Amino acid sequence: MSISTLTLNDGNQVPWIAFGTGTALFQHDAQDAVKTAIANGFTHLDGAQMYENEESLGAGIKASGMPRSALFITTKFHRLQPDQTAKSALQVSLKKLGVEYVDLYLVHVPGHHAGRLKEVWKSMEECKREGLSKSIGVSNFEVEHLEDILEGAEFPPSVNQVEIHPYVWKSLQPVIALHKQHNIVTSSYAGLSPIFRAPGGPLDPVIEKIRARLESTRGEPVSAGHVLNKWLEQYGILVVTTSSKADRMREYLDTANVPRLTAEEIESIEIAGAQRQQKFFSD
């Protein structure tokens, strides 16, 4: 199964969907889940120093037998320790992961670097210049954080990974507008939260109506998760998702084969989403 890619503002390509090692795998051994994800078709693995499982992410990659060149590996910079830079922290991560470089390195949380974002970004740029990370970006950044590092940046962030689903879509529009201005790829986590974390909300009947239409059109099963991931995919959003179940992993990758949502269906999702403004994760 070939996974389509998005083009970053530095010219590199990133698979549009990633298997994440946070949430349920946070501070847990990720080896088996990562190996299963790769065996079922994932090529983009999304980790982080904060998750405290980079060693097992690396072990899963090694156990998969997949060549490094066939994979896209992301990790994220946590917070500055004494006598540490984003670069030295990445060098530690590379040893844990058992690789010579990552494809994408993100500043995980802007609040961890209050007053020092420019300094941190300079170190991130050094990682890119030296080939320790092919591309660099950020996570959980709002407009003011992006503007802070964009001013005087040699390399603008290639990606900003944020919580995205219909219940936060309206509030995200200023950030997404800035992304478009600087060709920053928008990446999502927690995209299926309306289904798994807030059932019974205003989105439910809308999603079910669309799911039934897509299933009828396709002639094969379509899930509620398919609908929300398709909504994200059609906006060109890089989706980070996770599961411990092989069939769920295959379902997420199958999103690309689901028929496209109509403009009216997309609008109905966003109108329903605007009725409840709710974040599920704090930055």
Side-chain angles (χ1 to χ4, degrees):
M1 183 190 303
S2 178
I3 297 176
S4 64
T5 60
L6 303 168
T7 302
L8 302 179
N9 56 16
D10 61 5
N12 291 326
Q13 301 284 316
V14 56
W16 83 272
I17 190 165
F19 180 79
T21 59
T23 53
L25 290 171
F26 179 78
Q27 295 180 331
H28 286 78
D29 190 306
Q31 178 174 341
D32 289 346
V34 168
K35 185 180 175 184
T36 302
I38 294 171
N40 282 280
F42 276 94
T43 57
H44 182 175
L45 294 315
D46 180 277
Q49 294 161 6
M50 185 193 293
Y51 302 159
E52 298 180 16
N53 58 11
E54 286 176 307
E55 294 98 333
S56 59
L57 168 54
I61 290 167
K62 186 176 181 180
S64 75
M66 188 70 70
R68 172 68 183 90
S69 58
L71 298 173
F72 189 104
I73 301 172
T74 297
T75 196
K76 308 180 195 76
F77 174 51
H78 185 16
R79 54 170 91 231
L80 284 169
Q81 304 298 330
D83 302 317
Q84 188 188 59
T85 64
K87 177 184 167 184
S88 64
L90 177 55
Q91 289 168 326
V92 172
S93 287
L94 294 176
K95 287 178 183 173
K96 289 180 178 179
L97 291 164
V99 296
E100 294 182 357
Y101 67 93
V102 290
D103 297 277
L104 182 61
Y105 188 35
L106 307 179
V107 180
H108 204 155
V109 180
H112 291 169
H113 314 289
R116 302 180 72 178
L117 278 178
K118 276 191 168 67
E119 171 194 340
V120 166
W121 191 249
K122 292 299 177 193
S123 185
M124 296 289 288
E125 290 178 327
E126 199 177 342
C127 294
K128 179 170 173 61
R129 278 196 305 272
E130 296 185 12
L132 300 175
S133 184
K134 302 285 188 183
S135 299
I136 53 175
V138 296
S139 182
N140 300 301
F141 272 49
E142 298 179 5
V143 168
E144 62 268 28
H145 306 125
L146 287 167
E147 288 177 339
D148 190 3
I149 62 169
L150 282 165
E151 184 185 3
E154 178 182 355
F155 302 112
S158 290
V159 169
N160 184 17
Q161 186 183 122
V162 294
E163 179 179 340
I164 305 181
H165 47 75
Y167 291 150
V168 295
W169 184 247
K170 187 176 179 181
S171 63
L172 281 173
Q173 292 314 297
V175 175
I176 290 172
L178 190 59
H179 290 176
K180 288 178 181 174
Q181 190 180 332
H182 294 275
N183 295 314
I184 298 168
V185 164
T186 304
S187 177
S188 75
Y189 65 82
L192 303 184
S193 292
I195 299 169
F196 296 119
R197 296 185 176 91
L203 262 175
D204 287 22
V206 174
I207 296 294
E208 175 52 29
K209 182 180 178 183
I210 296 169
R211 188 206 64 74
R213 197 277 298 174
L214 291 173
E215 188 167 282
S216 174
T217 301
R218 187 184 189 192
E220 291 182 40
V222 172
S223 69
H226 274 138
V227 176
L228 282 179
N229 278 334
K230 195 71 184 181
W231 173 72
L232 292 165
E233 183 207 28
Q234 286 184 223
Y235 272 111
I237 289 170
L238 195 177
V239 173
V240 179
T241 190
T242 194
S243 178
S244 60
K245 299 173 183 174
D247 57 346
R248 191 65 59 78
M249 294 175 187
R250 290 191 292 270
E251 175 194 315
Y252 296 156
L253 291 170
D254 182 51
T255 300
N257 303 314
V258 171
R260 289 176 66 82
L261 308 182
T262 65
E264 292 76 18
E265 287 170 336
I266 289 171
E267 183 181 24
S268 69
I269 287 171
E270 290 159 20
I271 288 171
Q275 293 173 34
R276 173 186 284 183
Q277 288 298 297
Q278 184 176 4
K279 282 189 75 171
F280 297 92
F281 292 87
S282 58
D283 297 343

